[in-house]
Amino acid sequence: MISAKQISAAFRYPWVPDSVGHAPYFWLLSLGIFGLKYFYQAPTIFELVLSAVTLFVFLPCYFYSFWAPQRLQLLCALAIYLAGIAWAPFNFGSSTFCIFASSMIGHKLPTRTSYLCLFALTGVTSLLSFVLHFNAAFWIPATIFSVTAGVSVIVGEKFKRTQESLLRKQEEVEHLAALAERERIARDMHDVLGHSLSVITLKAELARKLFDRDSDACKKELIDIEHAARVALSEVRTALTGYRSTGLTHELHSAQEALAAAQVIMTKEIASVALTPMTENVIALALKEATTNIIRHAHASVCHIRLTEDPEQITFSIKDDGIGRKNFSIHNQGNGLMGMSERVASLGGRLIIEAEQGMTLMLQFPNKTSAKG
């Protein structure tokens, strides 16, 4: 049994979804066509009663069709269409019900199904009008305006679905962009903090050893630790905004200091190469990550850094004489080298790793500057 609460909910305003706006309320003004006949011919009591019953059926079906699933929506449209046909011999203004029914079938049905239903209704209206000799004032608007109204609704709904699809795709693109940005920040945080904390740890261990033997040297190491911590904080803030305040030159200087503290001699051969900001950023991050790995794992005594250029590509390599690892794979070496490989690949380059007789990391990028020349 239907409760009073359910009845009140069914008639609660608004009677149409917010997405369709207020147009359906204005369309109800076309019901005035149904009453045109009675401007020049007084209705009988029976006609008034039937008109009230018709409107009592029409209004709930009309408003419910905006919320109903496809099958019930078709039933609502069919009920209103039959009301129009039933009134056709007595009131030519009932063509408005046929027009309403034609427009209702285009709201939720697939485009092809909507067109088939629309032209089926129009065909049935034409056939019945011919067989039953309906007034031309009924069948002309019931056919012509039904097609016009129905096609307009179908096209409008198709456009609306296309817009919704585009919005969903745009949201998906924004979501993927946000994921990519989070991954980029995670990689940068790993590189920045991994290098800086390694330097701080190394210098802290050295300061502890020098504490009782050489207070001046210990003080110098503590000053270096403070400086490294401030630099790390600054780089973290910079990385969060997606920019780098330091380039390759600064990273080379930082790497030399860090390696010297770990008693690793750094040699370099840096050609004068016109690097794009993105390429320089990737190389600087790779140098930071490689320096951290050398200090932590390589047990190396010498590290050689080289930047060269030829017409085809730009090559940056970092080679150490430490402990090489056979059967080396990027995929089982954690986030650092994986992030480095992804950044190089994003610029159309490749990362080559040789892990025998020490470790060699080689970053190769297409030479776009030379290609343009």
Side-chain angles (χ1 to χ4, degrees), residues 99 137 205 253 351:
I99 298 171
E205 290 176 353
H253 180 71
L351 173 65

Side-chain angles (χ1 to χ4, degrees), residues 19-279:
S19 58
V20 282
H22 295 90
Y25 299 111
F26 291 102
W27 295 340
L28 292 176
L29 295 175
S30 60
L31 288 174
I33 299 173
F34 184 63
L36 284 177
K37 172 185 175 182
Y38 304 118
F39 278 99
Y40 59 87
Q41 181 179 340
T44 63
I45 299 298
F46 184 66
E47 283 182 316
L48 288 175
V49 172
L50 284 182
S51 297
V53 171
T54 302
L55 292 177
F56 183 78
V57 172
F58 167 79
L59 289 173
C61 287
Y62 174 68
F63 286 119
Y64 181 64
S65 69
F66 289 97
W67 305 92
Q70 292 180 1
R71 182 177 298 179
L72 292 178
Q73 186 184 50
L74 278 177
L75 289 177
C76 290
L78 181 61
I80 292 175
Y81 175 78
L82 292 176
I85 295 298
W87 271 99
F90 313 103
N91 187 339
F92 64 87
S94 64
S95 60
T96 191
F97 294 123
C98 297
I99 298 171
F100 269 109
S102 298
S103 64
M104 287 164 59
I105 61 177
H107 285 300
K108 295 181 181 178
L109 296 176
T111 302
R112 184 176 180 182
T113 304
S114 296
Y115 277 119
L116 289 175
C117 292
L118 173 64
F119 291 114
L121 284 183
T122 306
V124 171
T125 302
S126 301
L127 180 62
L128 291 176
S129 299
F130 176 77
V131 172
L132 300 177
H133 305 287
F134 289 157
N135 192 322
F138 167 81
W139 66 261
I140 290 177
T143 53
I144 296 177
F145 294 151
S146 289
V147 172
T148 304
V151 170
S152 298
V153 172
I154 293 171
V155 172
E157 286 297 316
K158 184 178 180 180
F159 177 74
K160 179 183 174 183
R161 286 193 287 266
T162 302
Q163 275 191 318
E164 291 174 350
S165 176
L166 289 174
L167 286 174
R168 285 194 296 270
K169 289 180 180 178
Q170 183 178 357
E171 290 173 354
E172 183 178 355
V173 169
E174 291 175 352
H175 175 67
L176 293 175
L179 287 178
E181 182 65 10
R182 284 197 290 269
E183 291 177 0
R184 182 193 70 81
I185 292 174
R187 290 194 300 264
D188 289 357
M189 289 300 99
H190 174 274
D191 293 345
V192 170
L193 292 179
H195 171 79
S196 301
L197 292 177
S198 294
V199 172
I200 291 172
T201 301
L202 187 67
K203 286 186 172 292
E205 290 176 353
L206 183 58
R208 176 175 53 82
K209 293 177 182 178
L210 294 172
F211 183 78
D212 295 323
R213 291 185 298 173
D214 190 342
S215 60
D216 291 337
C218 179
K219 182 178 180 180
K220 180 180 178 301
E221 294 301 328
L222 290 174
I223 292 173
D224 289 345
I225 290 173
E226 180 184 0
H227 174 72
R230 292 183 184 277
V231 171
L233 180 59
S234 174
E235 289 181 340
V236 167
R237 288 171 177 168
T238 302
L240 288 174
T241 60
Y243 299 100
R244 295 290 177 182
S245 60
T246 60
L248 180 58
T249 302
H250 176 83
E251 291 302 332
L252 284 168
H253 180 71
S254 297
Q256 189 165 16
E257 286 188 346
L259 290 170
Q263 298 181 343
V264 178
I265 299 172
M266 188 186 92
T267 62
K268 58 185 178 181
E269 181 184 345
I270 307 298
S272 179
V273 179
L275 298 173
T276 65
M278 293 185 65
T279 303

